[in-house]
Amino acid sequence: MSNGQELQQIVDAVRQRQRFVVSSHSRPDGDSIGSQLAFAYAARALGKDVTVINRDAAPPPLMAFPGVPSIHLADQVSGDFDAAVIMECGDIHRPGVAGLERYFVINIDHHPGNLGYGAINWFDESAAACGEMVFDLVNALGVPLSLEIATHIYLAILTDTGSFHYSSISPRTFDICRQLLEVGVDPVAVARSVYDSNNMGRLKLFGAVLSAMQIDPSGRIAIVYLDHEMARSAGGTYEDTEGLINLPLTVKEIQSVVFFKQNEGDEYRVSMRSKGEIDIGAVAKEFGGGGHKNAAGCTVTGPIDNLQKVFLEKIEQAIDGRPAHR
Ligand code: 5GP
Ligand code: MN
């Protein structure tokens, strides 16, 4: 549940200040973008000046949502702001935007293990999306839900629950969604924009990556791999892989997926997903990353064969240590 004290501190801090910079993690997703923009629209409704800055562009399908094309892309910030609102970030380096730490930092997050780097730190691990917390904040600020605000909160919840698949969902999740629909959010249109806006390169890339997929001997873990060469020859980009990791989970027997994406040379970006009680977030944490029980990631370096072996072992332990998902 929300922590009322921190929420009230944030409300007071927002009321007392005028110029806000809002940032979130690099390689933004639906929850980071939705949370940032829902807050931005709400603060602007109160007459505040709000600048949204991210290091990386939003995934192409999210460009159709209000305000997303106007997000500033920068790896540093130096403007005259009274506060920096940082969403969805366990530590102050996750945005990849230098200079945020110089401001009065308001840290709003739902990831376990948040370092509490802000002047105000509000985290709620029980929130299925950071967008659920922003919903509370918008209410506490007394701003009526506009269609833009509601759409962004719905986007945050839809994407961060893996389209209502993850165990982080609570009755509250649906209560919020009910209220969002009541002010006019069109869940069909949002889902179409997010999930049915593929280009052909993306489909070909999915085909190439899934063809090369491996399954561990126990048949429970899918290992997915992508390097720059594969992406080039399929005619897709790394951005096109958004959501790919969820496909192997649609196989009944598959309990977990690990996706290795080559950054440079021997450095790999690792994304993991799991079903039910299997805690993949704990695995990511062991490798210096983080995330949630059913969705987590990290960045690692080493020979790929060795990395795959090590992650398989850890994931097998995570599966065997927990009741199997049925
Ligand atoms: P994805 O696999 O979609 O990149 O990330 C899944 C979840 O894990 C997200 O909630 C994301 O914030 C978290 N996550 C992914 N990579 C990292 C990382 O390197 N560090 C931390 N702390 N969290 C991560
Ligand atoms: Mn999130």
Side-chain angles (χ1 to χ4, degrees), residues 39 81 150 184 225 232 267 315:
F39 173 79
F81 298 106
Y225 172 84
R232 241 193 318 273
E267 186 184 277
I315 296 170

Side-chain angles (χ1 to χ4, degrees), residues 31 88 110 160:
D31 192 23
E88 274 265 287
H110 69 136
D160 234 37

Side-chain angles (χ1 to χ4, degrees), residues 189-218:
V190 174
R192 284 247 164 84
S193 292
V194 175
Y195 299 113
D196 302 339
S197 317
N198 286 350
N199 57 58
M200 203 43 85
R202 176 167 148 98
L203 199 62
K204 293 247 166 76
L205 187 61
F206 272 42
V209 171
L210 292 177
S211 298
M213 177 177 75
Q214 297 174 55
I215 305 295
D216 84 304
S218 76

Side-chain angles (χ1 to χ4, degrees), residues 25 27 29 88 90-91 94 110-111 160 242 245 269-273 288-292 295-299:
H25 54 79
R27 293 183 303 268
D29 59 17
E88 274 265 287
D91 69 70
R94 284 275 288 149
H110 69 136
H111 290 93
D160 234 37
E242 180 71 29
I245 189 171
R269 168 95 208 124
V270 183
S271 281
M272 291 179 280
R273 296 291 184 271
H292 309 281
C298 54
T299 300

